[in-house]
Amino acid sequence: MHRLSFYGTTGTFTRRMLAAVLFGQSICVFFGALVARAVAATGSDWGLSTTYLLVGTGLAVLSIVAAALMRRPFGVTLGWIVQVLTLASALVVSAMLVVGLIFLAMWIAFLIMGSRIDEAQADRREGADGPVDRVDE
């Protein structure tokens, strides 16, 4: 089994899959922010409705930024932070716990399986090219 990485660069396939997870997560988090705002606006804590919307929208934007930064070594770390914050948003909207767990499961699965696929693709490329013998002239 491959290790979970918390920092560093990933292969192309892994990077693309993790970015797709974060992009989809940003949409769900934004809808969660809208729900938090609507629930707060109709309840006793109506003063927090704008705060919930702004913080939730900030988390959705952070998800998109993390997806864009997956090429950088700290992109994976930022993705983990987004996962933790999405789970923490369940303190405001309890349904976000289910959303957070689903996206966390996809995040972990793509980290593990993506690295396996990247290694298999690298092995296939190496096998197709064959060993390169250089002749000094």
Side-chain angles (χ1 to χ4, degrees):
M1 183 172 151
H2 292 248
R3 280 185 340 119
L4 287 177
S5 63
F6 294 96
Y7 180 81
T9 57
T10 59
T12 304
F13 181 81
T14 305
R15 181 174 59 238
R16 289 177 182 165
M17 298 297 7
L18 294 178
V21 167
L22 288 170
F23 184 75
Q25 188 170 356
S26 71
I27 295 169
C28 292
V29 166
F30 179 70
F31 286 138
L34 291 175
V35 168
R37 181 191 178 278
V39 169
T42 59
S44 61
D45 54 349
W46 59 268
L48 293 175
S49 64
T50 304
T51 304
Y52 289 156
L53 179 63
L54 292 176
V55 171
T57 303
L59 180 56
V61 169
L62 182 64
S63 293
I64 293 171
V65 169
L69 293 175
M70 289 311 299
R71 289 182 183 258
R72 308 274 186 209
F74 55 87
V76 174
T77 306
L78 195 55
W80 278 108
I81 292 170
V82 168
Q83 300 308 317
V84 170
L85 291 175
T86 301
L87 287 172
S89 69
L91 297 173
V92 177
V93 177
S94 59
M96 289 301 290
L97 179 62
V98 175
V99 171
L101 289 174
I102 289 170
F103 281 104
L104 179 64
M106 288 192 309
W107 178 262
I108 291 171
F110 286 140
L111 268 174
I112 294 170
M113 291 188 300
S115 63
R116 289 180 185 166
I117 292 171
D118 284 329
E119 285 179 10
Q121 288 176 344
D123 290 344
R124 188 176 329 144
R125 272 187 303 240
E126 183 181 308
D129 294 340
V132 177
D133 293 329
R134 295 190 178 190
V135 178
D136 293 328
E137 295 181 10

